Amino acid sequence: MNVSKVLISEEEIQTKLSEMGKQISDDYAGKDLLMVGVLKGAFIVMADLARHVTVPVEFDFMAVSSYGAATQTSGVVRILKDLDQEIAGRDVLIVEDIIDSGLTLSYLLKSLRVRRPASLELASLLVKKGIQSVPVDVRYTGFEIGPEFVVGYGLDYAGKYRNLPYVGVMEESSE
Ligand code: IMP
Ligand code: MG
């Protein structure tokens, strides 16, 4: 496997994240914002998006696993690391790298909702168009993409490529 095509450039991503950050800052003025990154994929989105948020904000992370080393969804979601803090009464914004089947997120939303946050919204850099097997209401979307498997900007293939500054499409190499 090698990466052969840039799907979304570094510059396009940064422009979009600054727009999302501005919108989030407007929407959460006067609220008690806690941004929750879903590891590992969201760590880069979270870091760059956070720098465009101008209202007071705290951060926490969760780690879940829905994929093995393969590129297909397993439908199995495990919480590998839970939040460090209580979220009752707080305005929680989940930050994701990508929403594919929506299984990971709908499971996460369900398990966080019972903890009674004041609000619970979702921001994702990428949303795969039309293929959510579970409908997920994404409040802040960066880009809608097709069904292709992408890497970079936090997204991995078998653990690699997360550090690419752009989102690229994986293609089979001919060798
Ligand atoms: P979902 O539960 O199918 O929505 O999958 C969500 C998770 O699957 C994401 O957080 C990613 O870790 C992974 N994933 C889905 N599509 C891709 C992709 O195109 N490239 C890399 N990882 C992906
Ligand atoms: Mg992930």
Side-chain angles (χ1 to χ4, degrees), residues 1 67-71 149 151 155-162 170:
M1 295 286 251
Y67 280 84
T71 57
F149 192 83
V151 294
L155 291 154
D156 73 305
Y157 171 70
K160 302 252 176 13
Y161 306 104
R162 293 191 196 275
M170 288 302 296

Side-chain angles (χ1 to χ4, degrees), residues 66-67 73 96-104 128 148-150 155-156:
S66 62
Y67 280 84
T73 186
E96 256 287 20
D97 48 358
I98 190 166
I99 296 166
D100 184 359
S101 70
L103 287 168
T104 310
K128 285 192 179 174
E148 63 269 32
F149 192 83
V150 292
L155 291 154
D156 73 305

Side-chain angles (χ1 to χ4, degrees), residues 2-8 148 166-171:
N2 57 3
V3 189
S4 56
K5 205 173 91 188
V6 175
L7 188 67
I8 307 169
E148 63 269 32
Y166 57 88
V167 172
V169 182
M170 288 302 296
E171 283 178 357

